[in-house]
């Protein structure tokens, strides 16, 4: 706004010599043109397509614009550059305001002559008056969606739905995408579709926070993907669970999904039903990278020394082991196997220990050793199962497994 | 808003946590920060502000449909927590004297303005107490039990008496060095007063100094020492254990270094890993507030006195400093031979 005021004052001084009525008229005209230009630039933000903006500004280039604006043409669609570019016209205006002598402004007006002139003293109808927006204009470019949320119907509805815009705007291209959407036309259809698939109301917000791109995916493609999943004998509940737990699932093409399902069946050597169960329990496997999964599988076999059928058992019980951090997994295994002396077949029966933190296992094992209760062999008396060791909260663990008070446990922890 | 501000003001000061072994101290700091941020951001959100907007609407007037502006109150969505993002994204948390990854024990953290108190605490040069476990019969390259084995020795000849004799020698040489570094003339009334208060200690950076050392437990091959010291690192303490082994015509490695006191924070004040939450930390800060204040004041008054002393005895101090120049930590322990 400050820039506008400055601009107008400069023109004011430039036309001081001409008669007053004329100058008012011209001022009003320039004001209108500015408004239009401004809307143009906002529009160009919304559709990233700089050519539109370019057309609006073409008249300018003959006057003073530098080469920078022209370079925007080449980098259409790239987020960072386009945002920079969107900001750049402001600089040009400012340069222009400083440079242009009064004779140049005359040519400027001539160029803008195609907008119909209207007088400041001209009466306007009520209807027209109502439609004049008296709010501050939207910024030309912005790094957040905050500036637009109050004025965009789509954005405000998405917020009320529970979409975390502060997270969405950090994803590449997501901000532009949401701004370009029309709620009634684009968003509503897909929301209803997601609801049909089985995503619950309270899950919609987090779902769209994670995958806002689904709002731009073709409806037909979405339907074929769901149909594909159903053709692979996933039940309705299963599909609903998979889609809501792995929001990116429906952004994958049918071929890709098919490849990935094939991978699990072939590489892991699981039966059809087991693959299905695995994928339903952890649909993240389908949307994530396959490389770490391969590596984890190899590591279990080569480094940890599990047999193939043992790993299959573990994976069906805790699929998370396939996406776990390799270093943490080896550390936990090293402690369990080499320090606590637990053989592979017991670990296969209680794979839950791999889900818990190493520090927790360590602390509890040491406490039990201190009490003389660390006995993990099921064949001998006073046996403590690994499941009990890790899954209980501290209080229950102390009273039921260690048979000691929580205070004693805490005191013991401070001697470690 | 008020609740959050109160929450934030509650977080100004020092508190101690118990660092478990095997975790880097920077990780401990980061974990505490993450937990605090999570809890602060999950506190009750303030109600979204309302704004007045004039919206064009069509009204059935006497002349058919009419377009007018109506006053409506709408929430300001730009201030909505889902648009604005979490209110707290980072907290200022500073760490006191560090503990290396292998060691455990009392670890002081400062939140908010507490970070300044950490500087004061550093300048107060307070002593810290450790318990150190050793194991005879081995020597490793980094003096700890996880390092690469260098040699194995017998330790049948080591008795508690011999160990305690060595400890007494260490304490003696270190005490001498302590007096030297604290720049004080022992034959003055002032020195007497300071000694009564137990405040004789150097007020600037010195090599590590052991002010007290004793044997807690002796059961070969294991033994446990309690060490009170100044300006130490955990690796220095491991080295001490190594050198004790050598002095006893054997070798030893250090299996545990555990800090039981850091300045005025003791083991009882330290919060366990499971207790790191907003409420506990706030209580801990409140509890330690008076203790920190008294402790720092005491040492500052001592510092002021020593500053005065410094100007009085500039020359004496300087000549003494010259004589100790180039004397490193290992020299101190080797001198006892």
């Amino acid at each position: 706004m400050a820039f506008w005021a400055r601009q107008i004052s400069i023109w004011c001084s430039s036309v001081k010599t001409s008669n007053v009525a004329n100058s008012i008229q011209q001022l009003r005209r320039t004001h209108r043109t500015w408004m239009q230009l401004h809307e143009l630039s906002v529009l160009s933000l919304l559709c990233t397509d700089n050519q539109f903006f370019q057309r609006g500004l073409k008249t300018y280039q003959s006057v003073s614009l530098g080469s920078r604006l022209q370079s925007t043409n080449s980098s259409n669609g790239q987020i960072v550059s386009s945002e920079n570019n969107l900001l750049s016209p402001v600089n040009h205006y400012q340069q222009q305001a400083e440079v242009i002598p009064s004779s140049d402004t005359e040519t400027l007006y001539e160029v803008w002559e195609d907008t119909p002139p209207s007088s400041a003293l001209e009466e306007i109808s009520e209807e027209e008056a109502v439609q004049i927006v008296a709010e501050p204009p939207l910024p030309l470019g912005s790094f957040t969606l905050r500036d637009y949320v109050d004025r965009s119907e789509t954005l405000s509805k998405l917020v009320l739905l529970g979409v975390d815009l502060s997270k969405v705007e950090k994803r590449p291209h997501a901000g532009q995408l949401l701004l370009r959407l029309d709620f009634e036309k684009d968003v509503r259809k897909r929301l209803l579709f997601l609801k049909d698939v089985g995503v619950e109301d309270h899950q919609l917000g987090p779902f769209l926070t994670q995958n806002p791109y689904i709002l731009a995916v073709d409806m037909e493609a979405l339907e074929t993907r769901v149909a594909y999943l159903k053709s692979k004998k996933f039940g309705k509940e299963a599909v609903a669970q998979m889609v809501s737990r792995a929001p990116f699932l429906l952004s994958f093409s049918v071929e890709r999904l098919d490849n990935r399902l094939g991978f699990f069946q072939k590489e892991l050597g699981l039966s059809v039903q087991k693959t299905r169960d695995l994928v339903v329990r952890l649909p993240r496997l389908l949307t994530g990278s396959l490389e770490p999964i391969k590596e984890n599988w190899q590591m279990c076999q080569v480094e940890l020394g599990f047999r193939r059928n043992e790993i299959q058992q573990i994976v069906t019980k805790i699929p998370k082991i396939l996406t776990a951090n390799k270093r943490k997994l080896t550390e936990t295994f090293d402690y369990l196997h080499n320090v606590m002396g637990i053989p592979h077949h017991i670990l296969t029966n209680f794979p839950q220990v791999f889900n818990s933190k190493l520090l927790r296992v360590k602390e509890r094992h040491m406490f039990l050793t201190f009490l003389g209760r660390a006995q993990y062999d099921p064949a001998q008396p006073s046996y403590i199962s690994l499941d009990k060791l890790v899954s209980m909260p501290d209080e229950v663990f102390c009273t039921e497994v260690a048979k000691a008070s929580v205070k004693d446990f805490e005191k013991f922890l401070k001697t470690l | 808003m008020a609740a959050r501000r109160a929450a934030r003001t509650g977080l100004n000061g020092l508190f101690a946590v118990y660092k478990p072994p095997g975790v880097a101290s920077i990780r401990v700091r980061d974990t505490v920060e993450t937990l605090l941020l999570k809890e602060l951001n999950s506190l009750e959100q303030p109600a979204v502000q309302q704004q007045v907007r004039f919206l064009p609407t069509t009204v059935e007037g006497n002349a058919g449909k009419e377009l007018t502006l109506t006053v409506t109150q709408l929430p300001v969505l730009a201030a909505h927590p889902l648009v604005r993002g979490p209110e707290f994204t980072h907290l200022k948390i500073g760490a006191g004297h560090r503990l290396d990854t292998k060691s455990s024990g009392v670890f002081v953290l400062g939140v908010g303005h507490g970070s300044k108190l950490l500087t004061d605490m550093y300048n107060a040069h307070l002593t810290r107490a450790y318990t150190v476990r050793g194991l005879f019969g081995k020597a490793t390259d980094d003096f700890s039990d996880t390092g690469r084995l260098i040699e194995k020795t017998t330790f049948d000849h080591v008795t508690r008496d011999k160990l305690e004799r060595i400890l007494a020698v260490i304490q003696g040489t270190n005490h001498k060095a302590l007096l030297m570094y604290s720049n004080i003339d022992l034959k003055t009334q002032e020195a007497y007063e300071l000694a009564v208060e137990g405040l004789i200690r150097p007020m600037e950076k010195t090599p590590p100094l052991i002010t007290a050392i004793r044997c807690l437990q002796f059961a070969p091959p294991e033994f446990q020492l309690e060490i009170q010291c100044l300006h130490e690192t955990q690796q220095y303490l491991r080295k001490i254990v190594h050198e004790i082994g050598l002095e006893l015509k054997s070798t030893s490695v250090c299996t545990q270094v555990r800090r039981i006191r850091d300045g005025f924070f003791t083991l009882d004040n330290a919060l366990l890993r499971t207790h790191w939450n907003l409420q506990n930390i706030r209580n801990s800060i409140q509890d330690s507030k008076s203790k920190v204040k008294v402790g720092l004041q005491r040492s500052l008054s001592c510092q002021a006195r020593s500053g005065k002393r410094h100007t009085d005895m500039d020359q004496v101090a300087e000549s003494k400093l010259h004589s100790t120049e180039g004397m490193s930590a290992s020299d101190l322990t080797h001198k006892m031979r």
Side-chain angles (χ1 to χ4, degrees):
Chain A
M1 281 311 279
F3 155 66
W4 273 32
R6 195 164 143 217
Q7 187 79 20
I8 287 168
S9 72
I10 286 171
W11 273 322
C12 253
S13 61
S14 75
V15 292
K16 219 179 266 169
T17 47
S18 59
N19 68 58
V20 179
N22 206 2
S23 75
I24 286 172
Q25 196 177 346
Q26 280 196 338
L27 259 180
R28 185 180 166 81
R29 200 189 308 149
T30 49
H31 178 79
R32 278 213 164 186
T33 329
W34 274 112
M35 280 298 274
Q36 278 172 353
L37 267 176
H38 197 79
E39 270 159 29
L40 271 179
S41 57
V42 169
L43 262 175
S44 80
L45 173 85
L46 302 187
C47 44
T48 333
D49 183 0
N50 282 321
Q51 293 204 319
F52 191 38
F53 189 30
Q54 209 70 50
R55 225 176 300 140
L57 278 173
K58 212 181 280 165
T59 49
Y60 265 50
Q61 288 183 354
S62 61
V63 185
S64 75
L65 287 197
S67 59
R68 200 170 157 200
L69 202 63
Q70 256 155 351
S71 69
T72 58
N73 263 336
S74 55
S75 59
N76 271 350
Q78 283 190 8
I79 253 230
V80 184
S81 62
S82 77
E83 239 166 343
N84 282 340
N85 291 332
L86 288 170
L87 292 172
S88 64
V90 181
N91 298 335
H92 287 297
Y93 291 152
Q94 276 174 346
Q95 278 175 11
Q96 189 188 341
E98 284 151 17
V99 171
I100 299 172
S102 55
S103 63
D104 269 7
T105 43
E106 289 304 318
T107 56
L108 251 182
Y109 297 145
E110 277 161 30
V111 173
W112 291 347
E113 214 55 68
D114 37 332
T115 57
S118 66
S119 156
L121 306 173
E122 191 183 288
E123 295 260 331
I124 52 170
S125 67
E126 281 289 309
E127 293 261 317
E128 219 178 318
V130 161
Q131 277 165 0
I132 292 175
V133 184
E135 283 173 83
L138 287 172
L140 294 169
S142 170
F143 292 102
T144 80
L145 291 172
R146 263 183 95 167
D147 299 324
Y148 306 104
V149 69
D150 273 319
R151 308 272 284 278
S152 154
E153 193 204 358
T154 319
L155 286 186
S156 49
K157 287 213 168 134
L158 286 179
V159 169
L160 296 179
L161 202 64
V163 179
D164 196 335
L165 290 188
S166 63
K167 282 185 189 151
V168 169
E169 72 195 13
K170 293 197 181 93
R171 293 185 177 271
H173 303 282
Q176 269 95 341
L177 178 109
L178 288 188
L179 277 173
R180 235 181 293 157
L181 291 175
D182 180 53
F183 190 81
E184 293 298 322
K185 223 168 63 198
D186 308 312
V187 181
R188 180 187 288 270
K189 259 193 302 183
R190 289 181 178 80
L191 285 180
L192 288 176
F193 173 77
L194 286 177
K195 272 199 78 171
D196 281 346
V197 169
V199 183
E200 305 209 354
D201 290 354
H202 65 94
Q203 287 170 332
L204 276 174
F207 182 95
L208 291 177
T209 308
Q210 277 200 51
N211 186 5
Y213 306 106
I214 203 160
L215 295 176
V217 180
D218 191 32
M219 276 299 282
E220 265 178 44
L222 290 179
E223 271 156 18
T224 41
R225 282 163 205 175
V226 172
Y228 167 77
L229 287 177
K230 283 193 176 146
S231 77
K232 287 283 162 190
K233 301 230 173 63
F234 287 104
K236 185 149 175 45
E237 283 94 64
V239 173
Q241 198 184 336
M242 280 163 73
V243 171
S244 49
R245 282 210 201 153
F248 280 96
L249 192 67
L250 291 183
S251 298
F252 279 51
S253 69
V254 171
E255 293 83 42
R256 217 166 153 201
L257 280 177
D258 196 47
N259 272 343
R260 284 170 171 245
L261 280 174
F263 165 81
F264 284 107
Q265 213 169 325
K266 214 166 60 205
E267 290 276 319
L268 314 190
L270 295 171
S271 72
V272 181
Q273 184 55 41
K274 284 223 172 122
T275 317
R276 216 173 281 148
D277 289 345
L278 175 77
V279 174
V280 171
R281 277 194 62 191
L282 198 70
R284 193 147 48 94
L285 289 175
L286 276 180
T287 55
S289 167
L290 294 182
E291 211 46 49
I293 295 175
K294 256 188 227 167
E295 278 175 27
N296 273 21
W297 180 266
Q298 284 297 323
M299 198 192 69
C300 283
Q301 266 186 328
V302 179
E303 274 185 55
L304 309 190
F306 283 107
R307 277 195 298 271
R308 197 176 164 79
N309 61 335
E310 282 176 335
I311 312 177
Q312 284 174 355
Q313 254 188 62
I314 292 177
V315 165
T316 45
K317 267 187 193 159
I318 47 158
K320 225 169 116 182
I321 202 170
L322 288 177
T323 55
N325 184 327
K326 267 183 292 178
R327 190 178 50 82
K328 281 183 185 162
L329 203 59
T330 357
E331 274 176 2
T332 314
F333 178 82
D334 179 48
Y335 192 81
L336 285 167
H337 189 67
N338 296 334
V339 179
M340 288 166 70
I342 296 167
H344 282 93
H345 65 93
I346 295 186
L347 284 177
T348 319
N349 288 335
F350 299 103
Q352 298 93 327
V353 277
F354 290 113
N355 273 345
S356 68
K357 279 186 188 161
L358 175 61
L359 209 57
R360 192 178 165 107
V361 178
K362 238 185 205 172
E363 283 171 0
R364 292 187 174 187
H365 169 68
M366 280 176 167
F367 188 49
L368 289 180
T369 322
F370 176 71
L371 295 175
R373 284 175 179 281
Q375 209 289 92
Y376 308 109
D377 185 1
Q380 282 173 28
S382 74
Y383 155 71
I384 288 169
S385 80
L386 288 180
D387 182 31
K388 270 188 181 170
L389 181 76
V390 293
S391 61
M392 294 168 163
D394 271 354
E395 293 80 31
V396 186
F397 168 79
C398 287
T399 49
E400 286 192 9
V401 180
K403 309 242 181 339
S405 70
V406 180
K407 257 197 181 141
D408 286 343
F409 184 50
E410 284 171 1
K411 245 183 216 162
F412 174 77
L413 287 183
K414 285 195 181 179
T415 65
L416 283 182
Chain B
M1 205 62 196
R4 286 159 152 256
R5 239 179 265 135
R8 201 156 204 186
T9 50
L11 286 175
N12 276 320
L14 296 176
F15 65 98
V17 295
Y18 190 86
K19 185 185 103 64
V23 185
S25 57
I26 191 77
R27 291 274 153 269
V28 171
R29 194 214 82 99
D30 289 350
T31 315
V32 169
E33 185 182 357
T34 321
L35 289 171
L36 283 179
L37 282 178
K38 213 164 149 192
E39 221 165 322
L40 283 173
N41 283 324
S42 69
L43 287 180
E44 209 178 314
Q45 303 279 337
V48 175
Q49 292 169 351
Q50 302 280 320
Q51 66 176 353
V52 176
R53 292 265 297 264
F54 298 94
L55 294 181
T57 43
T58 44
V59 191
E60 291 288 332
N62 26 3
K65 278 191 180 172
E66 252 175 49
L67 198 66
T68 52
L69 289 179
T70 43
V71 182
T72 35
Q73 263 209 337
L74 290 175
V76 184
L77 284 181
H80 196 280
L82 284 181
V83 180
R84 196 193 46 207
E87 182 157 347
F88 296 94
T89 49
H90 69 279
L91 277 176
K92 198 173 163 187
I93 296 184
H97 193 265
R98 303 290 156 88
L99 281 169
D100 60 12
T101 309
K102 272 178 261 175
S103 49
S104 61
V106 183
F107 181 47
V108 180
L109 292 173
V111 189
H113 303 322
S115 310
K116 278 177 200 141
L117 294 177
L118 282 175
T119 320
D120 292 344
M121 221 174 124
Y122 172 80
N123 289 330
H125 299 278
L126 299 164
T127 59
R128 285 174 278 269
Y130 290 81
T131 61
V132 175
R133 272 177 199 280
L135 186 75
F136 285 121
K138 279 202 291 185
T140 54
D141 57 348
D142 64 350
F143 314 131
S144 78
D145 56 339
T146 52
R148 200 165 51 83
L149 193 66
I150 287 179
E151 73 175 308
K152 281 188 175 182
T153 49
T154 55
F155 48 86
D156 308 330
H157 57 280
V158 178
T159 60
R160 186 169 187 140
D161 271 354
K162 280 183 186 166
L163 176 67
E164 279 181 351
R165 217 175 297 157
I166 300 292
L167 295 184
V169 175
I170 294 177
Q171 184 160 350
T173 43
N174 276 280
H175 192 69
K176 225 183 227 168
L178 178 81
L179 290 179
M180 196 167 63
Y181 280 114
S182 54
N183 295 334
I184 195 158
D185 189 356
L186 277 186
K187 291 173 190 157
T188 56
Q189 172 71 20
E190 197 190 352
Y192 170 74
E193 278 166 10
L194 278 178
V196 164
E197 282 182 65
L199 287 171
I200 293 190
R201 57 172 190 269
M203 273 305 162
E204 61 258 350
K205 195 109 189 76
T206 63
L209 293 171
I210 293 171
T211 54
I213 182 166
R214 68 191 176 106
C215 178
L216 287 181
Q217 186 202 357
F218 184 77
E222 287 175 29
F223 63 100
Q224 194 180 4
L225 306 175
E226 187 183 317
I227 302 177
Q228 188 182 309
C229 45
L230 269 173
H231 302 148
E232 80 297 340
T233 62
Q234 284 78 46
Q235 191 59 24
Y236 173 75
L237 297 177
R238 289 194 193 102
K239 196 173 174 189
I240 290 284
V241 170
H242 172 75
E243 276 164 9
I244 287 173
L246 291 182
E247 287 299 321
L248 288 168
K249 311 274 189 295
S250 175
T251 49
S252 61
V253 291
C254 179
T255 52
Q256 185 198 39
V257 176
R258 167 172 159 255
R259 179 148 72 198
I260 52 173
R261 183 176 62 77
D262 185 354
F264 19 76
F265 289 97
T266 58
L267 214 50
D268 302 328
N269 310 126
L271 294 172
L272 273 174
R273 189 170 58 91
T274 43
H275 297 169
W276 294 345
N277 61 36
L278 189 60
Q279 189 57 44
N280 281 338
I281 287 176
R282 215 182 293 164
N283 289 345
S284 172
I285 289 173
Q286 278 302 325
D287 293 345
S288 65
K289 208 168 231 169
S290 59
K291 202 170 52 182
V292 172
K293 206 172 163 191
V294 171
L296 287 179
Q297 241 165 23
R298 199 156 153 246
S299 74
L300 281 178
S301 68
C302 164
Q303 209 166 19
R305 255 184 288 172
S306 84
K308 197 180 75 193
R309 195 172 70 218
H310 217 67
T311 47
D312 288 349
M313 324 189 353
D314 229 358
Q315 303 227 306
V316 187
E318 211 156 35
S319 64
K320 271 186 185 169
L321 269 177
H322 276 304
S323 66
T324 59
E325 245 170 356
M327 191 154 115
S328 70
S330 55
D331 288 341
L332 284 179
T333 41
H334 279 292
K335 253 196 162 180
M336 62 199 172
R337 295 189 185 201

